Amino acid sequence: MDKLVIEGGKSLSGTVRIHGAKNAALPILAASLLADGEVNLTNVPHLLDIEVMLNILSRLGCQTRHEQENVIVDTSSANSFHVPDDLMKQMRSSIFLMGPLLARFGEVNIYQPGGCAIGERKIDLHLQGLKALGAEIQEVDGQIHCKASKLIGADVHMDFPSVGATENIMMAAATAQGTTTITNAAREPEIQDLQNFLNQMGANIIGAGTDTITIQGVTHLFPCSYEVIPDRIVAGTVMIAAAVTRGCVTLTHCNPAHLTSLIHVLKRAGVQIGVCNDIMNISCMSRPKAVERIITSPYPSFPTDLQSQVMVLLSLADGFSVMKETVFEGRFKHVNELAVMGADISIDLNCAFIRGVQRLYGATVEATDLRAGAALVIAGLAAQGKTIVEQVHHIDRGYDHIEKLFQKLGADIQRHTPVLKQLDLAN
Ligand code: UD1
């Protein structure tokens, strides 16, 4: 397994371009299956999760190519609705294949998906939505078989605004007969991006970005070209890293409107933020201030995907902060690792109580999941001395070479790849 070795204590400075959004690109790649022919996507990042999705599409019979930031998916030879168990277990987003495969083949076989260990992560809302559209679903020994000779539009109310379930239902409903209305839908920017992509293919969908999405089914979707939105979580990670290292960083190709809640929190912590179109400048010349209370919840509230990174800032802030996590129940695994680096955090159920310390100290720590791993990298950049972050494959799921991103900003961070793996890659 790769490791990142960080000599901390350097203020970040310089300019970085933010890559395309993983969480937008993954459902869009799955949705390509709804059209017959060559879909051209730009601004698709090089990430482990994207690689897994492209592998799945290949195993389903599609031709795929990923060169620089461009992906071509030719779906004309797609010939299977069985998503392989081994790939299904590699990431939660493999569940996105359900809606499109059901719409294309009238049938789909999948397994319970894998993904970051941050909580129970059920798929009942996905299944309920597809059932409402007419699918028959059977689950035997972890294998889920879903069948519908015809999908028919329906009213679907979500008990919780699940991002993935909203997207799965949108994809299944795009070519269903009649109108589907999703109420209490998730409102994340990635859902708007999926709506724009589906409409570009000829779908008739309105309302993404609000809590009611209306999908008027059409008979056919057609291949198209589309540019994926920037990754708001990568942008947020860099902003927080700039703040904790007391640096001055410019982000380009980002969308500040997607980061309103983080900008608000950082400003309360005393961080200076300048915004001009798709460019943001972040600077922080003094110790950040504590933020009394932050609560994660669905967009546009504070994103759970930035909770662990902001906790690093609060660990170093002047004063006492409280962070409440309401989306995933198992998302405080970074706390033990931050404690090894000198953070003063205690947990009670889904609340973290953080007493800011003057300094974090380098240590050997383990990335337990994607965003927890990013938080440890930020902590290492701010810490005094050497930090080694292990299990970097988690971070590679969502950041395209995180070490290169921070090297551009002057950080002393290196990736160490085991010799055996280097030999493997060379063969
Ligand atoms: C997406 C994001 C992920 C982010 C999360 C919340 C992608 C690829 N991933 O994940 O980065 O952290 O949104 O913003 O877009 N739930 C159920 N039943 C379901 C589905 C979800 O109970 O059928 C629960 C989950 O256990 C969780 C909550 O709903 O507690 C939120 O999950 P959801 O919004 O579905 O997240 P994902 O789509 O998995």
Side-chain angles (χ1 to χ4, degrees), residues 1-264:
M1 294 295 177
D2 289 3
K3 293 175 183 175
L4 292 171
V5 179
I6 305 164
E7 278 298 338
K10 286 193 171 178
S11 295
L12 297 184
S13 86
T15 301
V16 277
R17 182 194 164 113
I18 300 305
H19 63 62
K22 164 179 96 67
N23 289 354
L26 288 167
I28 285 174
L29 283 166
S32 305
L33 278 164
L34 292 166
D36 207 15
E38 211 176 87
V39 171
N40 282 271
L41 303 173
T42 52
N43 207 26
V44 183
H46 285 266
L47 305 172
L48 265 186
D49 277 11
I50 299 286
E51 223 175 89
V52 174
M53 181 59 88
L54 292 174
N55 278 342
I56 297 178
L57 289 169
S58 303
R59 296 267 282 270
L60 297 174
C62 301
Q63 307 290 320
T64 66
R65 221 168 54 230
H66 194 175
E67 281 167 8
Q68 285 148 4
E69 307 300 305
N70 307 322
V71 165
I72 296 177
V73 181
D74 186 348
T75 64
S76 45
S77 48
N79 56 10
S80 168
F81 52 80
H82 302 279
V83 182
D85 188 19
D86 55 324
L87 293 176
M88 195 76 207
K89 293 224 155 46
Q90 285 183 28
M91 66 167 182
R92 165 126 180 131
S93 302
S94 44
I95 193 76
F96 290 138
L97 272 318
M98 246 188 139
L101 285 173
L102 190 60
R104 186 176 178 122
F105 293 108
E107 208 166 339
V108 52
N109 275 330
I110 60 157
Y111 294 83
Q112 287 285 349
C116 276
I118 54 178
E120 198 184 356
R121 306 198 83 176
K122 292 189 284 189
I123 59 166
D124 54 323
L125 299 171
H126 298 249
L127 302 183
Q128 276 168 25
L130 297 177
K131 266 187 199 160
L133 297 182
E136 283 170 30
I137 299 173
Q138 283 182 325
E139 186 167 355
V140 183
D141 296 336
Q143 191 183 35
I144 300 164
H145 179 67
C146 198
K147 200 169 178 172
S149 51
K150 191 192 265 179
L151 290 168
I152 305 205
D155 291 340
V156 180
H157 180 79
M158 313 267 288
D159 291 338
F160 179 89
S162 153
V163 177
T166 302
E167 293 171 330
N168 232 337
I169 298 160
M170 285 166 74
M171 293 188 277
T175 54
Q177 187 183 312
T179 305
T180 298
T181 306
I182 309 175
T183 48
N184 199 27
R187 294 186 277 166
E188 272 67 5
E190 292 77 20
I191 291 171
Q192 291 184 50
D193 211 34
L194 178 64
Q195 169 179 286
N196 293 342
F197 172 67
L198 291 169
N199 285 346
Q200 183 87 356
M201 292 205 293
N204 185 355
I205 307 176
I206 55 168
T210 75
D211 62 4
T212 304
I213 301 175
T214 308
I215 304 132
Q216 182 69 56
V218 297
T219 48
H220 278 99
L221 294 182
F222 305 94
C224 71
S225 298
Y226 191 77
E227 180 175 336
V228 173
I229 55 168
D231 198 310
R232 63 194 165 102
I233 306 302
V234 172
T237 302
V238 176
M239 290 164 76
I240 298 162
V244 295
T245 61
R246 310 225 185 141
C248 180
V249 167
T250 301
L251 278 62
T252 68
H253 299 82
C254 59
N255 188 336
H258 294 165
L259 285 151
T260 309
S261 58
L262 175 67
I263 291 173
H264 181 65

